Each structure stands twice: as structure tokens, then as C-alpha cells.
Amino acid sequence: MRCIYNSSTDPHFNLAAEEYLANNYKSDVFMLWRNSPAVIIGKNQNGLAEVDLEYAKCENIPVIRRITGGGAVFHDLGNVNYTFITKSEGGIDFERFVSPIVSSLEKMGLSACLGGRNDILADGFKISGNAQCRVNTEKGFVTLHHGTLLLGAELSRLAAVLKPNKLKLESKGIKSVSSRVKNISEFETYRGPSDPEEFIKKLFELCGGAPEGLTSEEFTEISDLADKKYRTWEWNFGENPSFETVREGRYPFGTVTAYINCRKGRIEKIKFSGDFFGEDVELLAEYLVGTPFDRESLSARLEGAERDIGEYIFGATAEELSVLIFPEE
């Protein structure tokens, strides 16, 4: 496994680095990195609905879209991020990649575990959020998994800039974002470094190995990708939906919002947004265009899809999407 310490704190560059390394897979990668203050939204999210954009603008906090699903997260220099890139072994598997991180935290005195879909918890508090996707490369599918580690983040800014879907908060039985999270350095049992740079060294020691930097060629290619994609309005906000009909639901696999435009009784355009994980959900939307806008026709169309609906939105069924768009009375 190639261990990389990415010393850049530019969030645009760092997200581009992950995509570049995944697309140019040569060997397994374990990378640690930090971002200057930024909000990182999931691939399928509507940034306008998930972030207090006025606060973000006033505080000079960029909002950047990543290529994995899941929800919005706040990064700053008190937050350490980790990335695994490896040959894909199938669908979503958080435990496989979270386990070495949990083991390392335990060796530093923190009792941690995988909780919910994709969080690392300690004493019921969220200390890490995780996301992953499969990337189709010339060498086949590779899995990109990344996660956050709240070491000494500014939690007040996190709570101010993130405004997650109310359904998501209600389903977890909590009052606010800030009530869910806690910095690793604040736990009494924690015996590891509080300085982020020392914490990174310790993580490499416990679950990685001797780190190296990015090569000059990689740096140039990644910078180019960051400019062409991650710094653009088109990537970060251009896909935000504006539709006539909106349907929303909360499920064990995440929050899903369907935005629908119809013409002459048929679906003219549809977009699925949310903090769910999945692959090629855009293809599912394209597949539904032209379907008569009624429950029976939609159900039949979903049931007749070439791929299982759960491959587009992991964990979902055709029936659940039918009920989402046409709620039962």
C-alpha cells in the first residue's frame, strides 16, 4: 500500500487529488490530509438546501462537491481526513475501511465504533463521518473511501454553516448538529496527540507506514483537475435542481428528494437528491423520462429496470421510490 501525506490544505486540490489517484490507480493508497475551512457536500446533494450560503460567503468558506454520496461536512485545520483507494470488492462496505481507523483510535485510548450507516462514534458522539464510491478505471472498478476525524475542529462554525435536512435530524432524535459531534481531543480517555500534524504521524505509524508525498507530475495533473472541475460553479452548484414537483422521504439508507417536471402527463425531467449512497443515479433519472406520471406506470417502469434499484440508490427498492413520488393516502 502506498502511504501518502498530502500536505496541501487547499480543499479544491485535495478533492481533485482523491479523484486523480482513483482514476489513475496503480496500487492501494492510504492518504492523510487536511483542509482549510470548507463545506464539502455529497455528490447527490442540493447545496442550496444543505448549507447556510450567506454565512459561508461572509466567512469565506467555499462549498465544494465531492464525487462520493452522503451528507455535507465541515472541514477545517482541526479536522484530519483519511482516504483509502483500493480494488473494489463489490458494493458499499464501510466496516472494511473504518476498522483500521477505529483500531488506531482505541490504541490512543478512545473507545470508538462504527455507528449508523457511516459514522464513527465515541460515547454516543459523532467523531467521524465517512463516504465511499466505486470509480470505473482502465484497471476495473476501484473503491474510494474517505472519512473525517474531528480532532480539534471549530464546532461552532460547523453548526453555523451546516443546515441539514430536518427529516435527517428528526430521524436521529436530536435537536441540532452541534449536539451530535465532539472533538476527539476533548475525551478524557484520549491519550493521543492533540496537534494535527503529530496526530497524522501517529495514524501513519498505527495503520499505514512510512508516508511519501505526491510526485511533481501528480501535483501538476491534480492542479489542472482542480481548476477544470472543483473550482467551477458548474460542478459545485450547476446541478442544483429547480422543479415543479418535489417529493421527500427519510429511509434507513438516507434522505431522498425527488424533483420532477412533467409535460403532457409524462415525466419530462427528474432528479434524485439526498445524502444516500449509490451509483449512476443519473442513469436512473434518464430511464424514467417519458414515463406516464401515475403510480401504476411508474411502479411498472421501476420494476422493469435492467439493474436493481438498490444499485442506483443503495438499499432502496422500487416500491419505496414509487411511494416516495406517489405517497399513499
Side-chain angles (χ1 to χ4, degrees):
M1 176 178 287
R2 181 186 177 192
C3 296
I4 300 174
Y5 172 43
N6 176 11
S7 60
S8 167
T9 58
D10 176 353
H12 306 91
F13 178 91
N14 293 340
L15 291 177
E18 292 186 302
E19 181 176 350
Y20 175 84
L21 291 170
N23 279 316
N24 294 274
Y25 175 86
K26 296 177 181 177
S27 64
D28 290 355
V29 168
F30 173 58
M31 181 169 68
L32 295 177
W33 47 286
R34 293 189 297 155
N35 276 339
S36 58
V39 173
I40 313 299
I41 61 174
K43 177 185 177 182
N44 303 307
Q45 285 193 295
N46 177 1
L48 298 176
E50 299 292 336
V51 181
D52 186 332
L53 293 178
E54 183 176 348
Y55 178 87
K57 183 177 181 180
C58 289
E59 294 292 315
N60 294 314
I61 300 173
V63 178
I64 311 168
R65 189 178 300 277
R66 61 181 187 265
I67 62 172
T68 59
V73 292
F74 173 73
H75 288 180
D76 66 12
L77 293 176
N79 186 92
V80 173
N81 306 298
Y82 58 91
T83 304
F84 289 99
I85 299 171
T86 184
K87 276 291 185 70
S88 177
E89 294 184 359
I92 292 289
D93 182 1
F94 286 103
E95 187 171 0
R96 174 187 175 193
F97 299 99
V98 165
S99 291
I101 302 299
V102 167
S103 177
S104 297
L105 292 173
E106 289 177 339
K107 291 174 183 176
M108 289 185 270
L110 194 65
S111 179
C113 65
L114 177 65
R117 290 184 305 155
N118 59 319
D119 297 336
I120 297 178
L121 305 179
D123 294 338
F125 289 94
K126 178 179 177 178
I127 58 171
S128 168
N130 291 261
Q132 65 182 247
C133 68
R134 292 201 309 162
V135 180
N136 193 3
T137 74
E138 292 181 354
K139 294 188 176 182
F141 281 99
V142 302
T143 294
L144 188 159
H145 177 108
H146 52 193
T148 63
L149 285 167
L150 293 171
L151 181 65
E154 292 186 60
L155 300 185
S156 60
R157 297 185 87 190
L158 180 155
V161 74
L162 296 184
K163 53 174 187 179
N165 188 297
K166 291 182 179 180
L167 285 175
K168 183 174 182 178
L169 290 176
E170 290 170 0
S171 72
K172 294 179 180 290
I174 52 180
K175 295 182 179 179
S176 67
V177 177
S178 58
S179 68
R180 297 186 57 209
V181 297
K182 187 173 181 178
N183 280 315
I184 291 170
S185 59
E186 297 175 5
F187 287 87
E188 291 185 3
T189 60
Y190 177 65
R191 298 292 180 266
S194 296
D195 176 75
E197 293 291 336
E198 293 301 316
F199 182 75
I200 286 172
K201 291 179 183 178
K202 189 66 175 179
L203 272 183
F204 274 125
E205 175 188 323
L206 292 173
C207 66
E212 61 183 77
L214 296 165
T215 67
S216 58
E217 180 182 354
E218 288 171 335
F219 185 89
T220 299
E221 294 290 338
I222 291 167
S223 296
D224 186 55
L225 177 60
D227 289 341
K228 290 180 177 178
K229 182 173 182 177
Y230 289 95
R231 299 186 199 280
T232 67
W233 180 91
E234 287 77 12
W235 169 251
N236 293 319
F237 290 103
E239 292 300 314
N240 283 329
S242 177
F243 290 78
E244 298 167 350
T245 303
V246 180
R247 299 281 192 265
E248 187 174 47
R250 175 69 185 172
Y251 306 92
F253 52 82
T255 300
V256 181
T257 305
Y259 300 86
I260 309 149
N261 274 349
C262 293
R263 185 181 182 189
K264 295 183 179 180
R266 293 178 180 269
I267 295 174
E268 182 179 45
K269 189 175 181 182
I270 183 169
K271 180 179 177 65
F272 294 101
S273 175
D275 64 354
F276 55 85
F277 296 98
E279 294 181 3
D280 301 325
V281 71
E282 301 87 357
L283 296 181
L284 174 61
E286 291 175 10
Y287 170 75
L288 295 176
V289 170
T291 304
F293 193 59
D294 61 74
R295 176 72 177 277
E296 184 177 353
S297 298
L298 180 69
S299 296
R301 185 69 171 160
L302 288 168
E303 291 289 352
E306 291 184 5
R307 291 163 56 182
D308 187 274
I309 298 303
E311 293 185 32
Y312 296 105
I313 300 177
F314 287 129
T317 65
E319 176 64 17
E320 285 170 325
L321 291 190
S322 294
V323 173
L324 169 69
I325 296 172
F326 291 97
E328 295 177 331
E329 297 181 357

